[in-house]
Amino acid sequence: MTNQPVQKNTLYVGGLAEDVNESILHAAFIPFGDIKDVKTPLDQATQKHRSFGFVTFLEKEDAVAAMDNMDGAELYGRVLTVNYALPEKIKGGEQGWAAQPLWADADTWFERQQQEEEMQRIQAENKAAMEEAEELHRKKMAQEREGEKEEETEGKVDPMAMAEAEVLKVGAD
């Protein structure tokens, strides 16, 4: 097995009989959960499927249940092999991107956009929280400095005030 990551929602279904089409494959796997997509790649020369297909579930848990129950099961007289699907080696298949519909990558694009927006929102919240914390720290430090100045003036005698008190005292005598 290669080091490619598996697609946990998409199952490879091998050993399909010639009579099995996408509708039959869908019907065989729908008891396990909601299906997003079913594909049976065609042989370009014969225009028949190549005895395997892919079933993509909306939920990973449904794919696991389908794999557990359908691997080794019989469909149209053939024993199925059901595993997690590996991603395509060449993006766009053998014919490249020209053979892919424009919306083929839309789901992952929207997912990436949502993740980016979420990250930006979190970063903005973190920045605002940091600025608020810095402002509180600055205010606290300023209050402490004010408190120190008050303590200093309370402990020290103002020479002008002493001279004034002396003059008043002498004038009173």
Side-chain angles (χ1 to χ4, degrees):
M1 189 167 161
T2 62
N3 287 339
Q4 290 181 314
V6 294
Q7 296 178 3
K8 303 238 183 234
N9 288 26
T10 303
L11 300 177
Y12 163 84
V13 183
L16 296 178
E18 207 172 287
D19 296 338
V20 175
N21 59 26
E22 289 179 357
S23 298
I24 293 169
L25 194 57
H26 186 277
F29 281 82
I30 194 69
F32 303 103
D34 293 330
I35 294 175
K36 180 179 176 182
D37 192 27
V38 175
K39 291 181 186 171
T40 52
L42 298 179
D43 181 303
Q44 295 300 317
T46 64
Q47 289 302 306
K48 294 183 179 183
H49 69 73
R50 301 183 297 183
S51 69
F52 68 89
F54 299 96
V55 179
T56 303
F57 286 89
L58 291 176
E59 301 294 327
K60 293 176 186 178
E61 295 78 20
D62 297 339
V64 170
M67 184 170 60
D68 289 345
N69 287 284
M70 294 298 286
D71 187 38
E74 195 173 308
L75 182 65
Y76 279 65
R78 302 270 304 264
V79 176
L80 300 178
T81 302
V82 182
N83 305 327
Y84 287 123
L86 295 176
E88 293 180 22
K89 290 182 179 133
I90 301 171
K91 247 341 189 173
E94 292 174 10
Q95 298 174 345
W97 283 112
Q100 296 293 312
L102 181 61
W103 58 87
D105 195 34
D107 287 344
T108 57
W109 184 84
F110 283 120
E111 226 172 78
R112 286 193 309 268
Q113 287 299 109
Q114 287 175 333
Q115 288 173 350
E116 269 184 43
E117 288 171 9
E118 181 69 9
M119 283 300 294
Q120 289 173 351
R121 185 187 64 75
I122 290 170
Q123 286 173 346
E125 286 176 3
N126 287 345
K127 183 178 178 184
M130 287 295 290
E131 288 173 355
E132 187 177 332
E134 287 174 5
E135 183 62 27
L136 285 172
H137 180 70
R138 277 194 290 273
K139 285 181 180 176
K140 183 179 177 187
M141 293 301 288
Q143 287 174 346
E144 286 178 7
R145 280 194 297 272
E146 285 297 316
E148 287 173 6
K149 286 181 185 175
E150 288 175 12
E151 287 174 12
E152 286 176 13
T153 55
E154 286 175 10
K156 292 184 180 176
V157 180
D158 185 9
M160 288 299 281
M162 280 190 55
E164 200 173 293
E166 225 22 76
V167 169
L168 290 174
K169 188 177 173 186
V170 171
D173 289 333

